[in-house]
Amino acid sequence: MKDGTAGERVLIVVPVFNNESSVSGVLAGVAALGLPVLVVDDGSTDGSPAALDAFPVHRIRFPENRGKGLAIRRALSWAEERGFSHIITLDADGQHSPGDIPRLLDKIREAPEAVIIGKRDFGRGVPGGSRFGRRWSNLWIRIASGVSTPDSQSGFRAYPVRPLSRLKYLGSRYEFEVEVLVRAVWAGLPLEWVDVSVRYFPPAERVSHFRPLKDNARISWIYTLLVLRRMIPFRRRSAPPGSSPSDSYGNRAGHAVFRWVIGKLGVRPAYGVLVPVIAYYVLFRPSAVRAAAPYLRRRFPGRGGLRMLWPAYRHYFAFGQCLIDQAATNILGREGLRIDFPDADALRELSEEGRGLVLVVSHVGVWHSALSTLDYLKRPVYLNWRRERHSQSMGLTDFRKTGVEVRVISPDGFLGGIPELSLALTHGRIVAVMGDRGHGSSAVRSEVFLGAPAGFPILPYHLAFSTNSDLVVFLTARTGPRRIFLRAAVWRMTEAQRELGKDRVCRELLRWYVGELERHVRDHPFMWYNFHGIWMREEDIPRQGRGVES
Amino acid sequence: MKPVGIHGVGTALACGAGVDALRIALREGREAGRSEVGLEGLEDFIPANRTRRLDPLARMALLAACLSLRDAGLRPDEASGRPTGIVFGTALGPQESTFSFLEDIIGSGDACASSFAFTNSVHNLPASNMSLALGIRGPMRTVTAFGHTTAAALLSALHWIREGVVERVLLVLGEECSAVMEYVVRRFGGGEGNVRPFAPGCTYRSRGGCAAFVLGGGDGPYGRLASVEAGLSEAEAAERAAGSDLLLCAAAGRADEFNLYERLWASHRLVGAYSPVYGSLPTGPGVDLAVAALSLRERTVFAGPGGAWIKGSAVSGAEGLLPGAVAVAGVEGPGRFTLIRVERR
Amino acid sequence: MRPNRVVVTGLGCLCAAGAGLESAWKTMMAGRARPAPPTKFRAEPKRPSPVFEIPGGIFRRSKISPPRPVDKMPCLEYLLSALEEALEQAGLSPEELSGRRVGVSIGTTVGCTLNDEGFYAGFRKGLEPGLDPVERFLACNPAPFLSEALGLRGPVCTINNACSSGTDAVGQAREWILDGLCDLVIAGGTDELSRVTYLGFSSLLNTSERACLPFDARRDGLNLGEGAGVLIVESRRSAAERRAEVLAEVEGYGSSLDAYHVTAPHPEGSGLESALRRALGDRNPAEVGFVNAHGTATDSNDKVEGRTLARVFGPGITVVGTKPYTGHTLGAAGALEAVFTVQGLLTGCLPATLGFSEPDPECVVVPTRAATSVARTLAVSTSLAFGGHNAALLIAGPGP
Amino acid sequence: MDLKSELKELIIRELKLKNVVAEDIEDQGPLFGSESKLGLDSLDAVELVVVVQKKFGVDIGDRNTANVAFASIDALADYITKNRPGS
């Protein structure tokens, strides 16, 4: 058995506590797979330690029993130190069958960043307790994380090591296996499931150390703590590095509440709930004000200190409304959405020429909904975009329901996805690229925006120039409850322009884009949500853009 | 289901004869350009007087077959040691013989048609000549079904091995490139330069070449044929290919192939199209199968020449990514795909 | 073999003997045949020989709308006509099949070659000839054409094993069903008379200047013919579900190479024998009621085939050669003769091997001299192909 | 070049013989059959019929005539000289 999939290195982890009767069978089954194995002996007092000697496994021993949660957390750090990408945990009581491990390995290859749960087939012959227990903890998990999971109690799982070993945990016993799921979702990791078989022994035979009363109490306590924690939107210290401020707006509890309100009561009551929440943000979250300040100071010059609070409030309130409208579209569908799009026909005519088209989009208004209105062009749209955390939980990630065929090309891919984007353009596809924020290493050039030099990516213009495609600056604004206004400014790429050379044309295109963006934020001051610091200090304005020759 | 393994691979391509020549071309990113398929190596396997009547396609197929036998550790005379079948897949068939027969009739008159040319112009002659040269007496099937050829050929081989009709199958897939076909491709808009898969215009250039495999029960050094599926819709093909580490598209420079393969490679992390190395072949999936087998045996994702890459890492070499499963996709017809998965545990 | 059995539920035939199995069989049972010099093309071979042409217009236009016009592609016109008849008998309509996983397994030789003299004549003079003949060549590969015309999703394959293509096509259909790739297959073969094959066989000196006389001491060569045969082959389960009438069962198939010579069959018929053994499986050869022989009436074919049939089934085996009624239809021969084999099992009688009068001790077996009644239990159809390939089908009838 | 050597060159070229030169073919030696070391078979005989037709316009009607004419180089040369158009 190869040691995992493309680039993934997998470690099998078996927590053991007085499982002398079953551990040998489990380890024999695991050994057949030829993968490295770590056994965490959680203070066993029976024959388990002796039974382990027969197997070539790595071993960690706790002098006394400290709980399965702690055993797994210890295994996570052990695996991280040795560069394992994933660990697969299975119980030593023989409930999980090693033969199912290849299924988890396939899933790891498919979704390397996901937590994968072995969903037990609760057919016949399973004690009532387990089924009830499962449904009960699934419900708590849904409330705490907004993600529904069919079998949150199964201990047969695959964990991505690096993202999980950085989080902080409270639970040390069984409740850990619940807590790790919630924190994984909070950290933006998707949950995946694979069907696994389950062997249940008659009650007499099954060696379980689950103490019904005490451990259920601990689980309930951890649930309450997590749900409470979620409801209070104070800053979580554990936001992963490199995430932009706008990534962590509100957290899952807040989003789940809003989604519940929108679904049940509609958007207006949801706006009502927004009032106190935004007030709290603006008053008690200095980071929020700090993120919006660069823009607001330049958009409303001459207002300092406290007088900046009101524009900040209106800005975040508008942003909250946009998120609510976007969620409403996802939940209620597009019927209630009213669209004013004067340039719609011009864009269709351009699109019908069948040439490649670069759509320069920006973090304005509800740009996800705007993109989804493009289904009338009946052409696949390639979107160069990295999903942010907050958009994931607000259901902004998938465009499936909207009828427009969007193919997300991640900027973290090969050469930032540029080969694919150029290929799509040369075959007459629409490629949407962010105009107001570059991802990763893409080249940036400075242009005066709202009176001061700011850094803008030039990838859209490079792509258009090298593939001889036209460009459209596609801007949107929320003009009322579930009402959006769309604007498409068109730039025809002509032979004459191409003779001017790439640098000249890209500079002119950037100036054109920034001009359009500036006019848009003049008309709709609170519609721009790029809370990155794009304005530059003097010293780090690049002499000439670090272009990526595509 | 009894596993069917790839025990030997032999190729006769523009980049040279033998799987080593293919490996070097893939590793160094050499393009086929206009070079011919060299057939001189045939004499090392079969004495010249026993191959004197073979036409170019039969020669190429026999050379590839002998190379695949050697790669599987078998001398030509050992080929008939165990019950062996022959499956030969070709889309365009023996063109040289077909046109030289017409040349005789038109040039010298009806009574002067050459019986050599007519004999060789029958499509199953390459397979028959393999049987004669290697003494193989098992079942034989010659498949000529354009885009469906590779899948149909593989399905026959799989059936014979799994049902115990034979222990081994010599599977050969290939094309001959005649002057007539070059003219036809040029008129269809084929380009002069090198083949560029997914290029906006048509860079398809008619090129000859053969890939041969020794298939048998149980895993071979190149792994096994995990699945061969035909008539798949685009969505089905994308879903089947999803589980593999590397997807090879038999794109060969036709103008419309971007739309055909778009959904497939958009949903895949590592995609390669190696037609620049061996040129445009209607039985391209057959050569891609050889590239897939090589990638699995060498645990390597070959970078191939500049035009070969659409997406994925340019890393290659032993320590490169470790493919465990490679999918080969070919277009059979409008909205229909062949999807072959090769795996090596 | 796996429990899944493979049966025939529809037959279609178009040949010189008649358009449709009923009319062809009536002509054959009446012992009528009309070999004649070719009218569809002019040729002056060294040895002119009569051929079995299909008069234009005698066959039904198919209701199936082809994706491309087939007027200049007789191969496809014949195939569509035979298919129409077979689908009707199987109780299937093209609409019903569309979108389903149905396989198409067709044998041919001329059906997939670019031997257009006019085009090549223009090319060799450097006149850059028009590409219509090439478009037709690219369009007329029979199996992909049929699969696209009916919008099918099952496996597709055109087999070119020269004269055994039709037999192999039925064999492959059986393999697909046993492998569970599909439950129903359109299997058959088609070929058209062409100047190239006419002059080609003449150059090999194995055509006769008179009507062919299979297994007859006076035989001196074959006559070419054209036409198409189609069988609807499906799993027994699928036929039961559709409550379709089962005509026969394709119980066995064998294929095997002589590895002896490129144009002559192996003297002892070793390849043919192993193909027969494989087709028979664990059946006792004595259970076979009759053999529809390849019987091309060339000296070497009939000698080798006759001796081998005698060795495997005993000298007294009932043998029929149907090529005196159809001529050698190359890619279609195996399919037409499978159709006639099923018809023999259904009707319990066989036509005379027309023209046979002088037995040849070299051939050992003596074919039917007149209409002959046979047991309706088990029969074999054989093909010996150019290039030393042999194929055989074992077909079980409805019973005594 | 006299007819016999022309016939030898013709046989080597048209029947695509390998590792054989004109000198190896004796005039009286049998062209076909097991004693001949040229390794020719029935397909070569049929092709030779076409070659003779194409090069000399001499028709070898059927197998019996071929057996006589193809006995040896001498026999073939005689047959051609006798039946050549205009001779």
Side-chain angles (χ1 to χ4, degrees):
Chain A
M1 254 292 281
K2 64 183 174 5
D3 61 359
T5 56
E8 278 77 16
R9 291 188 64 235
V10 181
L11 170 73
I12 306 294
V13 173
V14 184
V16 172
F17 173 59
N18 292 351
N19 300 107
E20 62 181 352
S21 60
S22 54
V23 67
S24 308
V26 171
L27 289 183
V30 169
L33 300 167
L35 288 173
V37 181
L38 169 68
V39 173
V40 185
D41 173 3
D42 184 10
S44 294
T45 51
D46 67 354
S48 300
L52 300 184
D53 298 342
F55 296 94
V57 293
H58 306 282
R59 291 166 69 163
I60 296 176
R61 173 160 171 82
F62 290 157
E64 79 295 331
N65 179 266
R66 300 176 54 197
K68 184 178 180 193
L70 215 56
I72 295 177
R73 283 163 60 182
R74 185 70 188 73
L76 265 175
S77 47
W78 192 92
E80 213 224 341
E81 284 146 24
R82 288 160 183 74
F84 282 96
S85 65
H86 290 76
I87 64 168
I88 293 183
T89 60
L90 73 163
D91 293 352
D93 60 7
Q95 175 191 163
H96 304 138
S97 117
D100 291 330
I101 288 180
R103 273 195 225 143
L104 277 94
L105 287 176
D106 287 344
K107 205 57 169 181
I108 288 176
R109 176 187 309 143
E110 233 174 84
E113 72 293 352
V115 172
I116 299 155
I117 303 170
K119 180 159 73 67
R120 292 167 296 185
D121 162 25
F122 275 96
R124 1 139 222 34
V126 170
S130 283
R131 194 171 305 112
F132 168 73
R134 181 159 85 145
R135 253 194 238 109
W136 168 249
S137 68
N138 290 351
L139 174 66
W140 275 101
I141 293 248
R142 194 141 54 69
I143 292 174
S145 70
V147 173
S148 61
T149 143
D151 186 359
S152 55
Q153 280 193 327
S154 157
F156 193 2
R157 299 179 181 171
Y159 296 114
V161 171
R162 193 165 309 111
L164 289 184
S165 53
R166 280 203 311 277
L167 303 181
K168 300 293 169 288
Y169 302 101
L170 301 169
S172 61
R173 294 204 166 275
Y174 283 103
E175 69 286 2
F176 163 80
E177 291 188 295
V178 167
E179 183 190 3
V180 72
L181 290 188
V182 173
R183 290 198 183 280
V185 169
W186 286 4
L189 302 180
L191 297 192
E192 296 279 351
W193 297 270
V194 284
D195 292 330
V196 290
S197 49
V198 59
R199 283 198 350 264
Y200 263 80
F201 308 89
E205 248 182 82
R206 184 161 181 278
V207 173
S208 161
H209 304 292
F210 186 84
R211 291 158 302 182
L213 214 52
K214 217 149 165 288
D215 285 325
N216 267 329
R218 291 181 73 97
I219 290 182
S220 309
W221 162 242
I222 202 79
Y223 283 151
T224 335
L225 212 161
L226 288 171
V227 171
L228 273 177
R229 172 68 190 69
R230 222 187 111 133
M231 292 304 288
I232 305 163
F234 54 81
R235 184 159 179 64
R236 284 173 296 106
R237 282 175 318 288
S238 60
S243 64
S244 65
S246 77
D247 286 355
S248 55
Y249 270 84
N251 49 31
R252 295 303 165 285
H255 298 153
V257 167
F258 276 114
R259 274 212 308 287
W260 182 78
V261 168
I262 295 165
K264 293 288 179 294
L265 311 170
V267 283
R268 279 195 170 65
Y271 299 152
V273 175
L274 206 53
V275 172
V277 170
I278 298 298
Y280 166 80
Y281 259 84
V282 174
L283 296 173
F284 299 106
R285 286 281 300 277
S287 68
V289 179
R290 262 203 319 279
Y295 164 66
L296 293 175
R297 261 205 324 282
R298 288 182 177 76
R299 178 62 188 71
F300 302 97
R303 297 195 182 194
L306 279 175
R307 291 178 59 240
M308 190 48 88
L309 282 183
W310 173 240
Y313 179 83
R314 289 193 57 197
H315 195 177
Y316 274 101
F317 191 79
F319 181 50
Q321 286 179 313
C322 284
L323 290 181
I324 288 170
D325 281 10
Q326 172 60 47
T329 306
N330 274 29
I331 299 168
L332 309 172
R334 275 193 27 210
E335 315 76 35
L337 193 62
R338 273 165 294 130
I339 303 169
D340 337 334
F341 190 6
D343 311 320
D345 293 336
L347 186 57
R348 180 190 300 110
E349 273 143 35
L350 179 65
S351 156
E352 265 148 16
E353 283 172 23
R355 282 179 56 200
L357 188 59
V358 175
L359 211 66
V360 192
V361 288
S362 317
H363 293 76
V364 284
V366 198
W367 66 276
H368 300 91
S369 298
L371 258 190
S372 63
T373 66
L374 292 182
D375 56 354
Y376 79 101
L377 295 179
K378 295 189 180 56
R379 284 169 65 188
V381 174
Y382 285 69
L383 175 61
N384 189 224
W385 176 57
R386 179 190 299 118
R387 290 185 177 79
E388 290 104 359
R389 235 69 54 211
H390 77 279
S391 54
Q392 193 157 22
S393 68
M394 287 296 275
L396 308 188
T397 52
D398 56 23
F399 293 84
R400 266 188 299 280
K401 292 193 285 303
T402 59
V404 63
E405 211 182 318
V406 174
R407 296 219 165 78
V408 177
I409 304 286
S410 156
D412 308 329
F414 176 47
L415 292 180
I418 289 170
E420 288 162 85
L421 298 175
S422 340
L423 198 60
L425 282 169
T426 50
H427 285 274
R429 296 303 190 257
I430 299 177
V431 164
V433 189
M434 276 299 159
D436 59 353
R437 189 199 315 154
H439 293 288
S441 62
S442 63
V444 171
R445 168 160 300 149
S446 83
E447 187 58 44
V448 174
F449 175 53
L450 295 179
F456 290 93
I458 48 171
L459 174 62
Y461 320 114
H462 268 222
L463 280 173
F465 183 88
S466 55
T467 60
N468 193 14
S469 309
D470 300 331
L471 295 105
V472 167
V473 172
F474 187 59
L475 293 163
T476 175
R478 179 184 168 282
T479 51
R482 303 206 67 208
R483 267 179 65 114
I484 59 175
F485 162 77
L486 301 176
R487 208 173 105 57
V490 176
W491 174 296
R492 303 299 296 253
M493 179 66 78
T494 61
E495 261 330 296
Q497 282 156 17
R498 284 168 64 81
E499 260 102 42
L500 302 176
K502 177 183 271 194
D503 270 352
R504 232 338 259 298
V505 172
C506 285
R507 203 170 312 113
E508 277 171 26
L509 283 171
L510 177 57
R511 191 163 302 127
W512 164 61
Y513 165 71
V514 172
E516 290 293 333
L517 185 60
E518 206 160 68
R519 186 180 323 115
H520 190 70
V521 295
R522 289 259 177 275
D523 306 342
H524 311 279
F526 301 111
M527 280 298 138
W528 194 45
Y529 308 124
N530 182 4
F531 300 105
H532 269 235
I534 66 168
W535 282 279
M536 298 176 176
R537 289 186 304 283
E538 265 321 303
E539 67 283 6
D540 56 22
I541 298 171
R543 291 303 150 279
Q544 20 56 20
R546 282 177 289 112
V548 173
E549 280 322 304
S550 57
Chain B
M1 183 85 90
K2 183 172 156 187
V4 175
I6 301 177
H7 296 269
V9 177
T11 51
L13 299 166
C15 59
V19 76
D20 292 336
L22 177 60
R23 173 191 300 109
I24 293 162
L26 287 168
R27 206 180 277 286
E28 290 170 3
R30 261 203 243 125
E31 307 225 353
R34 296 200 67 80
S35 37
E36 290 303 321
V37 179
L39 301 179
E40 314 70 27
L42 186 55
E43 286 201 36
D44 310 341
F45 297 98
I46 312 287
N49 60 5
R50 288 182 53 204
T51 61
R52 60 185 168 93
R53 282 200 293 237
L54 272 59
D55 71 356
L57 180 60
R59 257 175 222 294
M60 198 187 334
L62 183 54
L63 173 60
C66 293
L67 287 164
S68 69
L69 286 168
R70 184 175 67 182
D71 191 45
L74 296 166
R75 288 194 318 279
D77 53 285
E78 288 169 319
S80 53
R82 293 221 296 277
T84 302
I86 297 177
V87 179
F88 177 56
T90 175
L92 303 172
Q95 297 160 41
E96 277 305 312
S97 301
T98 304
F99 297 124
S100 80
F101 184 81
L102 297 182
E103 179 64 36
D104 279 350
I105 307 177
I106 298 167
S108 323
D110 286 1
C112 300
S114 149
S115 61
F116 279 14
F118 177 70
T119 305
N120 283 329
S121 75
V122 181
H123 280 51
N124 63 308
L125 256 290
S128 297
N129 280 312
M130 273 185 248
S131 132
L132 284 170
L134 303 170
I136 291 176
R137 285 186 175 67
M140 181 278 284
R141 188 163 293 166
T142 294
V143 174
T144 52
F146 291 138
H148 305 275
T149 304
T150 305
L154 278 165
L155 289 172
S156 301
L158 288 181
H159 179 88
W160 291 352
I161 293 171
R162 285 189 178 131
E163 294 306 314
V165 175
V166 291
E167 287 179 29
R168 265 198 304 252
V169 168
L170 203 48
L171 169 74
V172 184
L173 292 153
E175 257 16 277
E176 179 184 27
C177 156
S178 66
V180 173
M181 212 28 90
E182 292 229 56
Y183 160 71
V184 166
V185 165
R186 184 163 51 77
R187 285 290 299 274
F188 278 172
E192 281 312 316
N194 278 323
V195 175
R196 279 284 164 277
F198 303 112
C202 172
T203 63
Y204 189 94
R205 283 187 53 257
S206 166
R207 210 79 224 93
C210 259
F213 306 86
V214 177
L215 303 179
D219 278 307
Y222 294 95
R224 67 174 59 179
L225 280 164
S227 67
V228 175
E229 290 172 286
L232 296 176
S233 69
E234 200 184 46
E236 285 163 342
E239 183 228 329
R240 299 289 199 289
S244 53
D245 306 301
L246 170 63
L247 169 69
L248 299 184
C249 296
R254 280 192 9 207
D256 60 354
E257 64 200 2
F258 176 84
N259 313 340
L260 299 175
Y261 286 103
E262 179 179 17
R263 173 105 60 101
L264 271 185
W265 61 255
S267 65
H268 222 79
R269 280 190 337 203
L270 273 180
V271 180
Y274 290 103
S275 52
V277 172
Y278 54 81
S280 321
L281 289 170
T283 34
V287 185
D288 276 350
L289 191 56
V291 175
L294 256 181
S295 310
L296 284 170
R297 182 168 192 166
E298 313 257 319
R299 290 273 182 240
T300 300
V301 178
F302 295 105
W309 268 109
I310 307 150
K311 172 163 133 175
S313 120
V315 168
S316 85
E319 81 301 326
L321 292 172
L322 309 159
V326 181
V328 174
V331 173
E332 295 171 0
R336 291 185 62 132
F337 279 83
T338 287
L339 204 285
I340 304 162
R341 270 168 56 84
V342 195
E343 277 174 11
R344 178 167 181 251
R345 281 284 171 264
Chain C
M1 274 307 156
R2 249 115 16 131
N4 200 349
R5 310 267 291 272
V6 177
V7 294
V8 178
T9 53
L11 299 172
C13 148
L14 173 62
C15 57
L21 178 53
E22 206 186 327
S23 98
W25 195 249
K26 201 148 64 43
T27 314
M28 291 162 72
M29 289 309 288
R32 291 201 311 273
R34 288 180 268 78
T39 60
K40 295 187 178 181
F41 48 78
R42 256 192 350 34
E44 295 104 23
K46 278 160 41 68
R47 296 159 57 87
S49 84
V51 292
F52 287 79
E53 285 179 341
I54 294 181
I58 65 158
F59 55 92
R60 260 184 308 208
R61 281 287 162 272
S62 156
K63 290 199 295 299
I64 300 163
S65 60
R68 269 171 296 284
V70 293
D71 47 352
K72 291 210 194 66
M73 298 191 242
C75 249
L76 295 182
E77 279 183 312
Y78 301 157
L79 184 61
L80 285 175
S81 168
L83 172 64
E84 190 87 20
E85 182 191 359
L87 287 178
E88 222 167 85
Q89 181 172 28
L92 288 165
S93 68
E95 297 69 30
E96 207 179 324
L97 293 178
S98 175
R100 275 182 51 189
R101 281 201 68 75
V102 169
V104 182
S105 172
I106 303 293
T108 190
T109 59
V110 174
C112 55
T113 53
L114 180 56
N115 44 24
D116 186 299
E117 284 179 70
F119 172 78
Y120 181 72
F123 169 79
R124 71 193 281 270
K125 295 202 194 71
L127 302 175
E128 304 255 329
L131 295 186
D132 296 350
V134 180
E135 301 276 2
R136 274 202 305 280
F137 160 67
L138 294 175
C140 85
N141 192 300
F145 173 85
L146 264 197
S147 189
E148 192 186 338
L150 293 167
L152 306 178
R153 299 212 62 77
V156 173
C157 179
T158 299
I159 291 182
N160 192 322
N161 275 359
C163 323
S164 68
S165 306
T167 307
D168 297 313
V170 177
Q172 174 171 254
R174 179 169 176 280
E175 288 170 5
W176 288 346
I177 291 172
L178 292 178
D179 289 350
L181 298 176
C182 50
D183 276 335
L184 195 137
V185 179
I186 295 168
T190 183
D191 248 322
E192 65 193 59
L193 271 171
S194 88
R195 250 175 62 85
V196 170
T197 39
Y198 182 69
L199 294 173
F201 276 94
S202 160
S203 78
L204 289 170
L205 304 183
N206 60 11
T207 51
S208 165
E209 290 177 339
R210 295 166 299 145
C212 61
L213 302 168
F215 300 103
D216 191 300
R218 300 164 296 151
R219 69 185 185 279
D220 66 350
L222 58 89
N223 306 150
L224 290 174
E226 62 179 352
V230 169
L231 301 92
I232 303 301
V233 179
E234 60 186 298
S235 66
R236 187 175 282 279
R237 197 172 49 283
S238 153
E241 275 153 22
R242 293 192 313 112
R243 280 188 290 289
E245 187 206 350
V246 171
L247 307 175
E249 177 179 347
V250 185
E251 208 182 281
Y253 161 69
S255 149
S256 165
L257 288 156
D258 285 340
Y260 170 71
H261 186 267
V262 109
T263 51
H266 190 287
E268 279 82 38
S270 62
L272 177 58
E273 177 161 0
S274 82
L276 284 168
R277 298 262 178 244
R278 194 164 296 141
L280 283 165
D282 43 28
R283 280 279 198 158
N284 179 336
E287 297 175 67
V288 171
F290 66 90
V291 175
N292 184 313
H294 192 52
T296 56
T298 62
D299 172 41
S300 49
N301 179 84
D302 293 8
K303 185 163 36 178
V304 167
E305 183 174 20
R307 250 193 263 124
T308 311
L309 291 179
R311 191 166 64 242
V312 173
F313 299 105
I317 179 74
T318 306
V319 170
V320 64
T322 48
K323 287 188 174 55
Y325 301 101
T326 62
H328 190 352
T329 52
L330 301 176
L336 276 171
E337 280 144 32
V339 168
F340 297 148
T341 303
V342 174
Q343 182 70 355
L345 287 165
L346 288 172
T347 58
C349 61
L350 298 175
T353 305
L354 191 61
F356 176 83
S357 60
E358 263 185 66
D360 176 354
E362 293 275 344
C363 301
V364 182
V365 292
V366 174
T368 53
R369 293 169 188 268
T372 312
S373 61
V374 283
R376 301 166 61 223
T377 46
L378 198 60
V380 161
S381 176
T382 56
S383 294
L384 289 88
F386 207 77
H389 177 247
N390 310 274
L393 285 170
L394 180 69
I395 299 178
Chain D
M1 189 206 263
D2 72 340
L3 181 57
K4 288 186 185 153
S5 18
E6 189 188 354
L7 279 176
K8 291 178 187 173
E9 289 301 334
L10 209 58
I11 284 174
I12 292 171
R13 193 177 66 250
E14 293 296 328
L15 304 187
K16 301 181 170 42
L17 300 187
K18 289 287 185 283
N19 320 333
V20 174
V21 287
E23 293 66 33
D24 299 344
I25 310 174
E26 302 122 5
D27 293 357
Q28 290 79 25
L31 285 175
F32 290 86
S34 46
E35 308 82 28
S36 153
K37 44 188 179 359
L38 298 178
L40 302 180
D41 62 12
S42 58
L43 185 55
D44 293 308
V46 163
E47 185 66 3
L48 199 50
V49 165
V50 173
V51 165
V52 166
Q53 171 77 39
K54 192 189 287 186
K55 284 287 178 294
F56 305 100
V58 169
D59 171 26
I60 298 179
D62 49 49
R63 287 188 186 263
N64 312 358
T65 326
N67 293 345
V68 167
F70 291 162
S72 67
I73 290 286
D74 285 351
L76 183 53
D78 292 348
Y79 186 84
I80 289 172
T81 344
K82 278 205 214 62
N83 296 286
R84 206 170 185 160
S87 65

